[in-house]
């Protein structure tokens, strides 16, 4: 559906007038990450799999002994690869996979959710019960089983996690649509003789768009956390690709170095990919939170 | 409809969902590649032996018969045997389940009261300094991957200050204090993982109740603040809060694979990961059923409490 | 000691729109109440009347701030008290009856527990004393089973009873000032009168002062000594009730009076048919509802209509009147096809109509249009007016974008709105303007019949009056038949040519407006008629005897 530009302009302007410094910084961070994802090969100083030194866990700023003249700005990983370069490529993989997952999950989940709410009756009952059953599977469990049996390719990963996520989106979309579907303007469209398609996409969707956008932000962060956790367990993105979760797993030994040499700089090698994840998810969540708060409730001051 | 009828209906729905779940679990594990008989025999697999085993295990039966047989076993407490070592699954699963539950209960006993208090404090002064602090901190916690929380805790408390061990290594002769000491870091990580959600959800629920008309009425009746909270707000907030707790407890049981792996806790989550990797189908099936059953039961419990707490249902017209 | 129990001076309240900006919503309001007197705050939505009444208890709703002025209660300055001191007089010296008792009672506690809470908490009575006091109040308020009704939960009693129970809760400590915030607005007309009588008796017997907040001038006239007319947070006029009603000094007050929900006094004011009644037998009815029985739930389990038959003629209006639960809205839904019927049939121009929307032809759907009660929820908030009005044109007439745009301009002109409104969203329009758009949307289909479901009920009286005028003009020009559904007999009598009185899913009286409104009346019609307040101060007292007979007759 195309929404006329002007339709969004005035509320958007209203929203922008309440922009806080924190949210502005978060938005900048996200833009930065988007640039990194798009221009990864230009930004990364070295190749994804390029081994710069023979030592495990080179410290920040040390020289790559295998490649004279190179510097490991953020240190080297267990194979002596440049952490900074791997972070850039890792972020690229993690973020684009998470984005693909969320988009797919929303396409599926909200379509079926709207459908269930609009059709009501038996169709809704059946769809809802199936989702109830599916949701009662711990998501990590489904991912484990499917990924192990079908192999951990990007396609399998994206489709599996998107399907799991779609059940959650279904619930949100259905709940939103349920509130909308009882409004008189839906009845007005029904009594006019409008079909299911018009009601779902022209009457319901525009009214659910705001909350759905917020939910998209939240689900996107979950997708990032989820595939990172899978990769951390060794079931997500497979080497030689780098992925932020996998990088944490690969370099977990750095913690032992930190303990042995009593030098926290080693710990940073392991923590930096996790911090990258956290920066993105915190930024997204802060923006969503701010967006939702612009319609917040307040209490009697005497309570 | 009477209260008992309502609860009975809810129980039936629960059983029905569990049945669907069992079908899904059975079908799901069917797609795991590899032949069970070959897996059992390993190197010594000859076509004759494989056929023998297949017959003995009933693998050549139609799918629905195998499903019914499996379901019957589950219901009667016969969980089957592991394909990896041929041991009865009941014993191994029992130990793992105990460890997971132990960890979950420890976590819940810290996280539930703490999050309710924080959620209440937050809701009482919305947009106040405390609320904003709690809101920001919980938001950050939600955004952190749980392994990052774990690593930071380990780096600080195990690596730098060496207060607690970095991995859980409990021996049978360890006293309760040793066990507790060993479990501090995993429990702390888990608390952080569920706390944020629970605080935020409690806040929303309580805020909803506190902005309702009956509360304004109570204020205008000159009722003291503490009494408004306890007598007027609490009964109405109870059901939704119970739901919040149930949801998060379910996560505690099932979602802690990462933490178990990181701290080397021999819990059910890790057992599942190992079983999946070893293609130990009966074990995977049992684990999946347990996780789903816990989730369904917790939700059932929450719903039953909501039904009982609802005066409209408790005292029908 | 002065006899002025409450004195409000230059009260100002502001709403916090954004973080820093304050918008005044009550501006320099002053009034005073002497002991035992009732002051009515009257105004339309947004006039600030509720805000003022709450400020008298030292309370401002979330998002509002009392910015100035003084509220002297007896010998205290309310606005200077801290929370603890305010708590001390609330519920005992001053108490509050909220607009919707159903929403304001706590669903989780029994009624008596809530009624007796204040005296028990403040240790003014023992548990037994409080319970006895509650029962005696229930009795005074004519509540059924006064001994046991308090043991029930709020959802177990009816709306009218709950409103009276809330009055009992307010009176339990014998307050010196009672604040009643639209206490009868949510009730059916026949119930409203009973509750109103109960309140009036209570105030008189206990010699309590009261603030009565309402939008309904005729209701207020029955209980108030003084009236304060408000508009947009400003005082328009303040004076004794007789002066306000008979010699208003302000135009706004006069407007309010002329639009008040009262029965037309003289017959000429009653709708004169646009087509001669004598011709009625000649013209074929446009719509026939023939012996329809319908209900909700699977297989029409819960019947809402029992063997209902009505007719509507082109260019004429049939009014359907009834209280909540009478089946009047169900009837509208059956005609429009939103609901099927169990027995009987609906015919349009002699042809039977299919039961549901999916099976009706597009032309049949176009011929019958449904105008909804609440324009603010009947218009999609995310669609521009151009889309709201343009869609039916494209849907029914397959118009091109250019044709539709042109027609939308014409339609806006028909409902007396500027063409520039086409690019607005519904939220950028006032309530009355939205209702015009709502009507315009029905007109786009060029219907033969329009079902108007309580289309003026949610509107302020003056705006409603204008909408009714527009409806009449449209009918004269376009010869549309209206099925006008309402709970308000005074509105119906101004628009309808024929009236069907409904009760419990049945039509109890059916005939021309003149017939229905000329005595002798059917028992239930009599009860309805006698429930419409008249704009004179002694109406409520006089009506009591008359109604008791009507009520017993209607019940029997």
């Amino acid at each position: 559906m195309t929404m006329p530009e002007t339709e969004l302009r005035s509320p958007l302007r209203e929203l922008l007038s309440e922009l806080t410094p924190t949210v502005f910084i978060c938005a900048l961070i996200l833009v930065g990450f988007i640039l990194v994802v798009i221009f990864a090969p230009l930004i990364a100083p070295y190749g994804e799999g390029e081994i710069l030194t023979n030592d495990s866990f080179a410290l920040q700023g040390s020289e790559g002994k295998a490649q004279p003249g190179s510097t490991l700005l953020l240190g080297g990983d267990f194979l002596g690869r440049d952490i900074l370069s791997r972070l850039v490529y890792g972020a690229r993989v993690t973020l684009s996979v998470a984005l693909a997952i969320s988009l797919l999950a929303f396409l599926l989940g909200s379509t079926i959710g709207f459908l269930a709410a609009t059709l009501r009756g038996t169709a809704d009952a059946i769809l809802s019960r199936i989702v109830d059953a599916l949701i009662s599977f711990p998501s990590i469990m489904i991912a484990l089983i499917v990924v192990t049996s079908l192999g951990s390719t990007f396609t399998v990963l994206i489709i599996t996690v998107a399907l799991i996520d779609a059940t959650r989106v279904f619930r949100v979309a259905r709940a939103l649509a349920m509130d909308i579907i009882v409004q008189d303007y839906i009845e007005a469209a029904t009594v006019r003789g409008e079909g299911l398609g018009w009601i779902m996409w022209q009457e319901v969707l525009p009214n659910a768009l705001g909350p759905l956008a917020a939910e998209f932000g939240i689900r996107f962060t979950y997708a990032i956390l989820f595939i990172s956790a899978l990769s951390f367990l060794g079931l997500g993105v497979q080497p030689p690709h780098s992925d932020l979760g996998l990088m944490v797993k690969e370099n977990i030994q750095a913690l032992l170095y930190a303990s042995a040499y009593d030098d926290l700089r080693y710990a940073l090698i392991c923590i930096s990919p996790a911090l990258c994840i956290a920066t993105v998810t915190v930024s997204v969540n802060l923006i969503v939170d701010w967006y939702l708060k612009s319609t917040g409730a307040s209490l009697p001051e005497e309570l | 409809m009477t209260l008992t009828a309502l609860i009975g209906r809810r129980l039936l729905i629960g059983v029905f969902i569990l049945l669907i779940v069992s079908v899904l679990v059975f079908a799901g594990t069917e797609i795991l590649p590899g032949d069970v008989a070959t897996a059992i025999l390993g190197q010594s697999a000859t076509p004759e032996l494989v056929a023998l085993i297949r017959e003995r295990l009933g693998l050549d039966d139609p799918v629905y018969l195998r499903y019914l047989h499996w379901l019957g076993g589950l219901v009667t407490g016969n969980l089957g045997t592991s394909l990896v070592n041929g041991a009865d699954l009941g014993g191994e699963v029992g130990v793992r389940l105990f460890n997971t539950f132990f960890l979950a209960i420890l976590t819940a006993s810290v996280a539930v009261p703490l999050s309710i208090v924080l959620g209440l404090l937050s809701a009482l002064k919305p947009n106040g300094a405390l609320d904003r602090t709690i809101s920001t901190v919980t938001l950050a916690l939600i955004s952190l991957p749980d392994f990052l929380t774990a690593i930071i805790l380990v780096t600080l408390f195990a690596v730098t200050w060496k207060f607690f061990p970095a991995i859980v290594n409990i021996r049978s002769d360890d006293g309760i204090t040793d066990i507790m000491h060993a479990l501090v870091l995993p429990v702390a990580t888990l608390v952080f993982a569920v706390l944020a959600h629970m605080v935020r959800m409690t806040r929303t629920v309580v805020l909803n109740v506190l902005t309702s008309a009956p509360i304004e009425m109570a204020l205008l009746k000159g009722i003291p603040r503490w009494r408004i909270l306890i007598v007027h707000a609490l009964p109405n907030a109870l059901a939704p809060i119970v739901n919040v707790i149930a949801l998060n407890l379910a996560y505690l049981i099932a979602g802690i694979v990462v933490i178990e792996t990181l701290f080397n806790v021999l819990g059910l989550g890790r057992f599942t990961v190992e079983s999946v990797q070893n293609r130990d189908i009966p074990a995977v099936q049992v684990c999946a059923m347990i996780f789903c059953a816990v989730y369904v039961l917790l939700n059932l419990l929450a719903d039953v409490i909501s039904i009982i707490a609802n005066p409209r249902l408790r005292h029908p017209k | 000691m002065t006899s002025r129990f409450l004195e409000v001076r230059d009260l100002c309240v502001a709403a916090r729109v954004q973080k820093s900006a304050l918008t005044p919503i009550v501006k320099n309001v002053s009034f005073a109440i002497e002991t035992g007197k009732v002051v009515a705050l009257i105004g339309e939505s947004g006039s600030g009347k509720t805000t003022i009444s709450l400020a008298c208890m030292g309370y401002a709703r979330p998002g509002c701030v009392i910015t100035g002025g003084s509220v002297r209660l007896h010998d205290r300055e309310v606005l200077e008290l801290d929370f603890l001191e305010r708590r001390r007089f609330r519920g005992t010296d001053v108490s509050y009856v909220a607009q919707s008792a159903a929403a304001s009672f706590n669903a989780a506690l029994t009624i008596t527990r809530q009624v007796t809470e204040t005296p028990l908490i403040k240790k003014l009575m023992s548990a037994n004393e409080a319970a006895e006091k509650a029962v005696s109040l229930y009795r005074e308020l004519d509540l059924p089973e006064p001994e046991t009704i308090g043991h029930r939960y709020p959802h177990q009693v009816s709306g009218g009873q709950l409103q009276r129970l809330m009055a009992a809760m307010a009176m339990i400590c014998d307050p010196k000032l009672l604040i009643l915030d639209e206490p009868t607005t949510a009730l059916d007309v026949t119930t409203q009168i009973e509750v109103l009588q109960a309140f009036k008796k209570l105030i008189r017997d206990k010699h309590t002062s009261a603030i009565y907040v309402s939008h309904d001038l005729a209701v207020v006239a029955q209980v108030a000594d003084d009236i304060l007319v408000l508009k947009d947070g400003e005082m328009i006029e303040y004076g004794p009730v007789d002066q306000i009603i008979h010699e208003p000094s302000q135009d706004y007050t006069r407007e309010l009076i002329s639009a008040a929900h009262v029965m037309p006094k003289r017959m000429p004011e009653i709708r004169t048919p646009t087509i001669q009644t004598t011709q009625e037998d000649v013209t074929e009815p446009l719509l026939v509802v023939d012996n329809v029985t319908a209900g909700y739930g699977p297989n029409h389990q819960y019947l809402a209509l029992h063997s209902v038959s009505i007719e509507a003629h082109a260019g004429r209006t049939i009014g359907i009147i009834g209280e909540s639960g009478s089946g009047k809205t169900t009837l509208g839904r059956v005609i429009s096809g939103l609901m099927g019927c169990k027995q009987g049939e609906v015919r349009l121009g002699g042809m039977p109509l299919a039961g549901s929307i999916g099976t009706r032809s597009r032309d049949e759907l176009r011929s019958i249009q449904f105008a909804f009660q609440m324009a603010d929820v009947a218009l999609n908030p995310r669609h521009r007016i151009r889309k709201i009005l343009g869609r039916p044109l494209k849907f029914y007439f397959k118009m091109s974008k250019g044709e539709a745009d042109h027609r939308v301009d014409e339609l806006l002109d028909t409902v007396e709105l500027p063409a520039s409104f086409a690019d607005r969203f519904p939220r950028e329009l006032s309530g009355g303007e939205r209702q015009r758009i709502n009507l315009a949307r029905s007109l786009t289909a060029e219907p033969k019949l329009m079902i108007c479901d309580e289309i003026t009920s949610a509107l302020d009286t003056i705006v409603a009056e204008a909408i009714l005028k527009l409806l009449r003009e449209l009918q004269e020009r376009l010869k549309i038949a209206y099925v006008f559904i309402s709970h308000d007999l005074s509105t119906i009598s101004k628009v309808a040519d024929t009236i069907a009185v409904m009760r419990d899913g049945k039509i109890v009286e059916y005939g021309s407006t003149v017939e229905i409104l000329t005595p002798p009346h059917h028992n239930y019609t009599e009860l309805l008629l006698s429930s419409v307040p008249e704009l004179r101060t002694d109406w409520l007292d006089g009506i009591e005897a008359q109604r008791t007979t009507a009520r017993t007759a209607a019940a029997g």
Side-chain angles (χ1 to χ4, degrees):
Chain A
M1 205 203 82
T2 55
M3 179 123 34
E5 245 184 351
T6 39
E7 181 163 343
L8 278 171
R9 201 189 294 148
S10 68
L12 196 67
R13 219 179 253 164
E14 230 168 77
L15 214 59
L16 288 180
S17 69
E18 285 176 39
L19 201 68
T20 64
T22 327
V23 173
F24 185 68
I25 293 169
C26 289
L28 278 186
I29 290 175
L30 283 189
V31 170
F33 270 98
I34 291 170
L35 292 178
V36 166
V37 167
I38 298 172
F39 300 109
L42 300 178
I43 292 168
Y46 305 101
E48 194 179 0
E50 219 173 314
I51 294 175
L52 297 186
T53 173
N54 300 322
D55 300 336
S56 288
F57 308 122
L59 278 176
Q60 288 81 3
S62 59
E63 196 188 335
K65 289 175 196 155
Q67 267 198 35
S70 61
T71 328
L72 296 141
L73 270 179
L74 292 181
D77 76 348
F78 73 116
L79 284 179
R81 294 171 294 192
D82 180 38
I83 286 286
L84 179 62
S85 308
R86 286 186 65 76
L87 278 181
V88 169
Y89 285 103
R92 183 185 214 190
V93 170
T94 304
L95 294 184
S96 39
V97 169
L99 190 66
I101 289 171
S102 317
L103 286 174
L104 193 57
F106 264 74
L107 205 64
L108 270 173
S110 48
T111 306
I112 302 176
F114 283 169
L115 204 62
T118 316
L119 290 172
R120 286 186 263 197
T122 328
D124 177 34
I126 293 175
L127 284 170
S128 296
R129 286 297 89 75
I130 292 178
V131 167
D132 279 351
L134 282 177
I135 262 180
S136 73
F137 283 94
S139 25
I140 202 127
M141 210 63 59
I142 307 183
L144 274 180
I145 295 175
V146 177
V147 168
T148 345
S149 40
L150 300 181
S152 187
T153 63
F154 280 122
T155 324
V156 170
L157 207 59
I158 289 172
I159 292 178
T160 312
V161 183
L163 284 176
I164 296 170
D165 234 20
T167 57
R168 274 77 179 169
V169 178
F170 168 88
R171 281 204 169 170
V172 174
R174 179 178 169 277
L176 281 172
M178 280 301 221
D179 284 345
I180 295 168
I181 216 87
V182 295
Q183 301 287 330
D184 282 353
Y185 54 79
I186 303 292
E187 196 145 73
T190 314
V191 82
R192 184 161 67 226
E194 296 285 3
L196 193 64
W198 172 276
I199 290 181
M200 268 171 60
W201 303 124
Q202 297 288 322
E203 304 281 347
V204 175
L205 180 69
N207 289 287
L209 219 50
L212 269 187
E215 183 65 19
F216 185 85
I218 295 170
R219 302 275 15 139
F220 176 62
T221 64
Y222 280 141
I224 294 177
L225 295 177
F226 193 77
I227 53 163
S228 303
L230 273 185
S231 299
F232 179 78
L233 290 173
L235 293 158
V237 176
Q238 300 298 320
H241 291 291
S242 64
D243 157 81
L244 296 176
L246 184 65
M247 283 179 69
V248 177
K249 174 192 155 78
E250 286 175 344
N251 297 314
I252 198 97
Q253 296 288 327
L255 286 185
L256 295 181
Y257 275 62
S259 184
Y261 297 116
D262 224 344
D263 188 342
L264 278 182
R265 284 181 296 171
Y266 285 106
L268 210 56
I269 293 171
C270 165
I271 291 177
S272 56
L275 282 178
C276 269
I277 299 173
T279 316
V280 179
T281 50
V282 169
S283 303
V284 173
N285 272 328
L286 278 175
I287 291 175
V288 170
D289 197 53
W290 162 79
Y291 174 73
L292 289 175
K293 265 203 187 125
S294 43
T295 54
S298 53
L299 275 191
E301 56 173 322
E302 300 180 25
L303 261 176
Chain B
M1 218 185 293
T2 65
L3 200 58
T4 34
L6 268 174
I7 294 175
R9 209 181 76 140
R10 183 63 190 84
L11 286 172
L12 273 180
I13 292 178
V15 172
F16 179 67
I17 288 185
L18 273 182
L19 267 179
I20 300 183
V21 164
S22 71
V23 172
L24 291 175
V25 165
F26 192 79
T29 43
E30 283 284 303
I31 61 167
L32 273 178
D35 180 59
V36 177
T38 327
I40 293 176
L41 293 166
Q43 294 294 330
S44 57
T46 65
E48 295 77 30
L49 271 176
V50 167
L52 191 72
I53 298 275
R54 286 192 70 90
E55 203 192 320
R56 199 185 298 158
L57 292 177
L59 288 181
D60 294 324
D61 290 343
V63 174
Y64 72 93
L65 264 186
R66 280 187 286 136
Y67 166 71
L68 288 177
H69 186 247
W70 171 74
L71 192 65
L74 275 187
V75 174
T76 54
N78 173 17
L79 303 185
T81 47
S82 163
L83 294 185
V84 176
N85 52 18
D88 182 38
L89 277 171
E92 181 69 18
V93 167
V95 173
R96 299 299 191 109
L97 196 58
F98 176 81
N99 287 343
T100 295
F101 272 16
F102 190 65
L103 207 56
I105 288 168
L106 272 185
T107 309
S109 59
V110 179
V112 171
L114 190 63
S115 56
I116 289 180
V117 168
L118 289 177
L120 267 174
L121 287 177
S122 220
L124 279 180
K125 280 258 178 269
N127 301 322
L130 184 67
D131 178 39
R132 268 179 302 185
T133 315
I134 291 177
S135 158
T136 315
V137 172
T138 50
L139 197 68
L141 279 179
I142 286 179
S143 318
L144 294 189
D146 40 11
F147 51 79
L148 178 61
T149 328
I151 291 171
I152 290 175
L153 287 176
V154 167
T155 313
L156 290 181
F157 293 97
V159 175
T160 314
W161 297 319
K162 303 192 169 55
F163 289 159
F164 305 107
I167 52 170
V168 180
N169 188 5
I170 300 171
R171 288 173 300 274
S172 49
D173 56 343
D174 276 348
I176 186 76
T177 41
D178 292 327
I179 296 178
M180 290 298 183
H181 189 244
L183 287 180
V184 167
L185 287 184
V187 168
T189 312
L190 283 175
V191 168
F192 279 126
V194 290
L195 188 74
H197 272 118
M198 286 169 88
V199 171
R200 293 177 78 86
M201 288 160 98
T202 310
R203 175 186 185 272
T204 313
V205 162
V206 174
L207 207 55
N208 263 338
V209 173
L210 288 184
T211 42
S212 65
I215 301 298
E216 182 177 271
M217 191 67 228
L219 268 176
L220 293 175
K221 274 163 70 182
I223 309 296
R225 200 178 134 142
W226 64 268
R227 200 181 148 88
I228 291 182
L229 292 181
I230 293 176
V231 177
H232 290 265
L234 192 64
N236 293 305
L238 194 63
I241 289 182
V242 167
N243 268 307
V244 172
I245 295 173
L247 208 67
N248 283 282
L249 286 187
Y251 170 80
L252 263 186
I253 304 293
I256 60 177
V257 192
V258 173
I259 306 300
E260 288 184 347
T261 313
L262 231 156
F263 288 101
N264 204 25
V265 178
L266 295 176
L268 200 60
R270 243 191 91 190
F271 183 60
T272 316
V273 177
E274 291 162 7
S275 305
V276 169
Q277 283 164 343
N278 294 332
R279 305 281 192 274
D280 191 348
I281 294 170
V284 174
Q285 287 172 333
V286 169
C287 294
M289 273 316 284
I290 291 176
F291 286 127
C292 297
V294 167
Y295 182 92
V296 171
L297 286 177
L298 280 169
N299 272 304
L300 189 68
L301 196 68
D303 280 2
V304 169
I305 292 177
S306 311
I307 292 174
I308 295 174
N310 186 340
R312 281 167 205 278
L313 300 176
R314 200 170 58 228
H315 308 278
K317 284 199 176 181
Chain C
M1 198 184 99
T2 146
S3 69
R4 291 188 155 187
F5 183 70
L6 177 82
E7 191 167 356
V8 176
R9 202 175 280 279
D10 293 325
L11 180 69
C12 294
V13 184
R16 205 179 290 278
V17 188
Q18 276 176 342
K19 268 167 211 122
S20 46
L22 286 173
T23 307
I25 51 171
V26 171
K27 300 155 206 160
N28 296 313
V29 169
S30 307
F31 64 97
I33 304 178
E34 286 169 26
T35 310
K37 296 288 183 195
V38 180
V39 169
L41 304 182
I42 187 152
E44 313 207 309
S45 48
S47 62
K49 51 193 194 298
T50 297
T51 312
I52 295 170
S53 70
L54 288 171
C56 292
M57 301 185 82
Y59 179 80
R61 287 224 162 111
C64 296
V65 196
I66 299 173
T67 46
S70 101
V71 175
R72 284 199 79 77
L73 187 70
H74 195 37
D75 50 359
R76 281 162 302 197
E77 174 52 56
V78 170
L79 301 183
E80 283 167 9
L81 299 179
D82 65 20
F83 294 155
L84 279 172
E85 290 164 323
R86 282 180 207 171
R87 191 185 295 156
R88 213 163 290 144
F89 74 79
R90 284 183 190 167
T92 47
D93 289 359
V94 183
S95 57
Y96 182 75
V97 175
Q99 174 166 8
S100 165
S104 294
F105 265 108
N106 193 328
L109 306 172
T110 60
I111 288 162
T112 289
R113 185 142 179 231
Q114 299 180 59
V115 169
T116 60
E117 188 176 18
T118 307
L120 290 183
I121 284 296
K122 302 195 173 181
K123 303 209 166 42
L124 300 170
M125 299 176 199
S126 73
N128 276 337
E129 282 168 359
E132 274 168 34
K133 178 86 187 270
V135 170
S136 74
L137 277 168
Y138 300 158
R139 198 167 284 128
E140 281 175 54
L141 285 158
D142 281 328
L143 282 157
E145 304 167 45
E147 302 290 338
T148 53
I149 194 168
H151 304 329
R152 299 194 211 162
Y153 283 84
H155 67 274
Q156 295 171 311
V157 300
S158 75
Q161 291 166 358
L162 216 49
Q163 206 70 47
R164 276 178 278 173
L165 286 164
M166 178 153 278
M169 180 157 83
M171 293 305 291
I172 188 96
C173 291
D174 294 316
K176 300 186 189 76
L177 175 67
L178 188 62
I179 296 175
L180 301 143
D181 186 3
E182 302 253 17
T184 63
T185 308
L187 305 174
D188 275 330
V189 272
T190 54
T191 328
Q192 162 173 295
I193 299 310
E194 284 156 25
V195 174
L196 203 58
Q197 279 168 340
F199 284 163
K200 187 165 185 180
K201 191 166 139 235
L202 209 61
I203 294 170
R204 196 172 43 205
D205 294 354
K206 308 265 178 193
H207 209 62
T208 311
S209 314
I211 297 177
Y212 196 103
V213 176
S214 180
H215 70 285
D216 191 336
L217 204 53
V219 164
V220 157
Q222 311 311 316
V223 289
D225 296 296
D226 294 323
I227 292 182
L228 173 59
V229 182
L230 291 155
K231 186 178 188 245
D232 300 329
E234 283 179 78
M235 293 172 70
I236 299 295
E237 199 168 356
Y238 176 39
V241 58
D242 281 309
Q243 183 228 307
I244 298 280
I245 291 177
H246 300 299
E247 304 150 40
S249 65
Q250 300 295 315
D251 287 344
Y252 183 73
T253 316
R254 275 191 283 272
E255 255 184 283
L256 270 184
I257 291 170
S258 71
H261 284 258
V262 292
M263 290 302 294
K265 276 187 219 79
R266 287 156 289 121
M267 274 308 157
E269 261 189 52
I270 294 173
R271 179 78 198 281
T272 39
T274 39
I275 296 176
Q276 284 305 306
T277 355
T278 46
Q279 311 255 310
E280 198 175 338
D281 301 326
V282 189
T283 49
E284 276 290 304
L286 173 70
L287 173 94
V288 178
V289 174
D290 190 4
N291 210 18
V292 161
T293 299
Y296 295 88
N299 219 358
H300 300 277
Q301 204 175 348
Y302 309 104
L303 284 187
L305 288 180
H306 302 269
S307 311
V308 168
S309 302
I310 56 159
E311 288 179 359
H313 293 263
R316 310 279 302 280
T317 301
I318 171 166
I320 314 280
I321 176 127
E323 298 185 88
S324 49
S326 62
K328 56 185 192 304
T329 298
T330 312
L331 180 58
R333 293 173 68 86
V334 167
I335 297 172
S336 67
L338 279 168
M339 242 175 98
C341 45
K342 191 180 180 188
Q343 278 163 26
E345 65 176 10
V346 180
R347 288 191 295 272
L348 185 75
M351 299 295 289
L353 284 175
S356 77
I357 293 192
T359 44
R360 285 190 184 178
S361 75
R362 198 164 276 200
D363 200 51
E364 286 170 341
L365 290 171
R366 185 189 62 76
S367 304
I368 301 180
Q369 289 291 310
F370 198 103
F372 288 83
Q373 171 177 4
M374 312 270 251
D376 45 342
V377 287
L379 307 176
N380 194 325
R382 292 285 175 161
H383 290 174
R384 281 170 203 286
I385 305 305
R386 187 181 301 288
K387 187 167 184 180
I388 290 171
L389 297 182
R391 175 63 187 173
L393 295 171
K394 291 173 192 156
F395 185 77
Y396 290 126
F397 303 112
K398 307 267 178 271
M399 280 192 190
S400 71
K401 190 173 166 1
E403 288 170 326
D405 279 353
H406 181 67
R407 183 83 183 104
V408 166
D409 289 349
E410 286 176 7
L411 281 162
L412 283 172
D413 190 53
T414 311
V415 293
E416 297 159 15
L417 292 175
S420 62
F421 275 32
D423 289 314
R424 294 205 188 172
F425 286 103
R427 66 161 183 277
E428 296 166 331
L429 270 51
S430 75
E433 289 162 353
R434 276 199 290 261
Q435 195 56 277
R436 282 167 194 267
I437 297 293
N438 195 19
L439 291 177
R441 176 169 62 185
S442 304
L443 293 176
T444 52
E446 296 170 18
K448 295 177 184 146
L449 176 88
M450 232 166 100
I451 303 162
C452 306
D453 187 5
E454 301 264 17
I455 52 168
T456 56
S457 312
L459 299 176
D460 291 324
T461 41
I462 295 172
V463 183
E465 196 71 4
I467 294 284
L468 291 182
K469 183 166 151 276
L470 173 67
L471 274 176
R472 277 193 292 262
E473 288 167 8
L474 289 173
Q475 188 169 50
E476 272 160 38
R477 253 200 298 156
L478 307 168
K479 298 285 170 270
I480 307 173
Y482 293 142
V483 175
F484 195 94
I485 299 170
S486 178
H487 70 284
D488 182 3
L489 198 50
S490 66
T491 306
I492 291 256
S493 66
K494 286 176 203 159
V495 294
D497 301 289
T498 47
I499 292 181
V501 183
M502 290 193 71
R503 189 189 196 192
D504 298 332
K506 298 187 187 87
I507 291 185
V508 293
E509 204 180 0
Y510 182 32
S512 77
T513 304
V514 181
E515 270 165 38
I516 298 275
L517 296 181
T518 336
H521 306 294
H522 177 274
N523 290 330
Y524 182 64
T525 313
E526 172 72 45
L527 185 66
L528 279 180
L529 268 171
S530 67
S531 300
V532 182
E534 290 172 25
L535 200 51
R536 54 191 169 88
T537 50
D538 54 352
W539 169 79
L540 186 65
D541 299 319
I543 207 77
E544 202 158 343
Q546 189 191 336
R547 276 179 50 81
T548 324
T549 20
R551 198 165 53 205
T552 30

